[in-house]
Amino acid sequence: MDFKLEMKFCVTGSSGLIGSQVVKDLTEQNHTVYSCYHNTKPEYGIPLQLNLENTEKIQKTIQEIKPDRIIHLAAVTNVDLCETEKELAHLINTKATQTLAREAAKQNAFFVYVSTDYVFDGKQGMKKEGDLPNPLGFYGKSKLDGEIELNHLASPYVIVRTSTPFGLHKTKKSFPLWVKENLELKKKIPVLVDQFTSPTYVPNLSKMLIEVATRQFIGIIHLTGATRISRYALAELVADKLSLDKKLLIPTKTNDMNWKSQRPKDSSLNVSLANEILNEKPQKIEQSLDLFINEL
């Protein structure tokens, strides 16, 4: 596969949990990185404010940058908000994806769209890339519609689905950190026993994403952690590793949750394709948590 050593990247959502790690890693690899953001200025790359509700601004930005690669991470990810603000979710998660992808095609830039495990209904876990999506809520639907928009493109792209990303971030508190902080304060916390995912350590995800982008892997690929685990078992693991009191974890069922949007009960993803083709392999949860705790 032919690719230049140093490339021009455009990353949307570059101040988010995943984006901030991706732009940091790309900068360290000596790529030119345009870090697109909405409100919070990113630490790495060339910061570029971009409102994804503005189609013309998106078009103008991509035309001016002329990137080799676009990694599209920006999204409305608040699941309940997507249910109540469907227009906004459609605008950002679907329409902006379509606009970016079309501009990428015009610039002959390889397009990486980061989607979600929530495109599946969760009746059965360990979904493979070719399994039929069936989202339960509007968040999953708006992201799936983004995937569908790419089917009409003549230019090369990849759809990356991920699950429950966790890592360190200035404002976004991921699940293991939330568990740690509450247990340290001796607070009882409700944790779901019947929701299973594939928790993904952000530095591992970032490396996999960059590899897929630079090597121009085409199609759909699941990039998540290598372990299917319930929220409760994950919380127990965090407690064990930090010697915190597991008795403070209150086993809770998804039916007890007062959610506006339905969530899949088992949105774990099969990563055998990633294992097969990538140099950076999906990590098992024990290894990921150890790295995360070291980072803390």
Side-chain angles (χ1 to χ4, degrees), residues 141-190:
K141 185 185 184 308
S142 65
K143 292 295 285 182
L144 178 61
D145 287 345
E147 291 187 15
I148 293 164
E149 284 299 336
L150 302 190
N151 294 338
H152 313 307
L153 280 188
S155 56
Y157 63 86
V158 64
I159 292 165
V160 170
R161 296 190 188 122
T162 193
S163 171
T164 326
F166 69 93
L168 283 184
H169 190 256
K170 279 185 171 159
T171 56
K172 198 162 173 146
K173 199 167 284 185
S174 37
F175 182 72
L177 188 60
W178 175 77
V179 171
K180 170 190 179 284
E181 287 180 355
N182 278 290
L183 296 187
E184 282 173 346
L185 293 168
K186 305 275 188 282
K187 273 189 187 172
K188 287 185 173 184
I189 48 170

Side-chain angles (χ1 to χ4, degrees), residues 61-287:
T61 300
I62 303 303
Q63 283 158 17
E64 283 172 6
I65 296 174
K66 296 184 170 47
D68 300 302
R69 304 282 189 273
I70 296 174
I71 300 178
H72 179 35
L73 282 154
V76 182
T77 56
N78 182 319
V79 179
D80 286 337
L81 181 70
C82 287
E83 211 59 41
T84 53
E85 303 272 342
K86 289 186 172 142
E87 206 170 306
L88 176 72
H90 172 76
L91 208 54
I92 304 291
N93 296 353
T94 309
K95 193 164 187 295
T97 302
Q98 179 197 49
T99 308
L100 277 162
R102 284 182 179 172
E103 288 310 311
K106 286 179 198 166
Q107 301 298 333
N108 203 19
F110 184 69
F111 190 70
V112 181
Y113 173 52
V114 181
S115 189
T116 171
D117 51 344
Y118 275 39
V119 299
F120 296 110
D121 59 21
K123 286 178 182 158
Q124 191 187 353
M126 299 307 283
K127 288 289 190 188
K128 289 188 169 179
E129 285 80 1
D131 288 336
L132 213 59
N134 181 32
L136 295 177
F138 198 80
Y139 166 63
K141 185 185 184 308
S142 65
K143 292 295 285 182
L144 178 61
D145 287 345
E147 291 187 15
I148 293 164
E149 284 299 336
L150 302 190
N151 294 338
H152 313 307
L153 280 188
S155 56
Y157 63 86
V158 64
I159 292 165
V160 170
R161 296 190 188 122
T162 193
S163 171
T164 326
F166 69 93
L168 283 184
H169 190 256
K170 279 185 171 159
T171 56
K172 198 162 173 146
K173 199 167 284 185
S174 37
F175 182 72
L177 188 60
W178 175 77
V179 171
K180 170 190 179 284
E181 287 180 355
N182 278 290
L183 296 187
E184 282 173 346
L185 293 168
K186 305 275 188 282
K187 273 189 187 172
K188 287 185 173 184
I189 48 170
V191 188
L192 295 169
V193 288
D194 61 346
Q195 191 187 40
F196 292 81
T197 65
S198 302
T200 313
Y201 184 46
V202 168
N204 179 218
L205 174 59
S206 173
K207 289 188 186 79
M208 293 192 287
L209 266 176
I210 291 168
E211 186 179 343
V212 159
T214 48
R215 288 174 54 191
Q216 296 198 53
F217 175 84
I218 292 166
I220 301 177
I221 188 166
H222 291 169
L223 301 183
T224 69
T227 310
R228 171 190 177 268
I229 191 170
S230 72
R231 290 267 179 181
Y232 190 82
L234 179 56
E236 282 191 312
L237 211 51
V238 172
D240 283 341
K241 286 185 182 291
L242 293 166
S243 306
L244 296 165
D245 187 3
K246 282 194 291 196
K247 288 199 275 293
L248 294 167
L249 303 171
I250 312 299
T252 309
K253 290 279 181 79
T254 44
N255 293 343
D256 302 333
M257 301 303 287
N258 195 14
W259 286 328
K260 289 184 175 73
S261 174
Q262 215 184 335
R263 271 100 161 143
K265 280 194 173 180
D266 190 342
S267 62
S268 56
L269 298 176
N270 182 306
V271 288
S272 51
L273 178 60
N275 264 321
E276 195 182 309
I277 67 158
L278 296 184
N279 300 318
E280 175 75 20
K281 306 291 182 198
Q283 290 171 353
K284 289 201 156 56
I285 191 61
E286 286 82 0
Q287 184 193 0

Side-chain angles (χ1 to χ4, degrees), residues 7-51:
M7 285 180 283
K8 202 190 287 182
F9 276 81
C10 171
V11 181
T12 70
S14 61
S15 50
L17 176 65
I18 303 167
S20 52
Q21 183 73 46
V22 170
V23 293
K24 176 176 184 275
D25 291 348
L26 282 170
T27 308
E28 284 169 2
Q29 290 178 21
N30 292 323
H31 295 294
T32 303
V33 187
Y34 288 89
S35 305
C36 299
Y37 69 99
H38 187 225
N39 292 322
T40 312
K41 211 169 184 176
E43 276 181 70
Y44 295 90
I46 302 156
L48 208 62
Q49 194 165 26
L50 182 63
N51 179 2

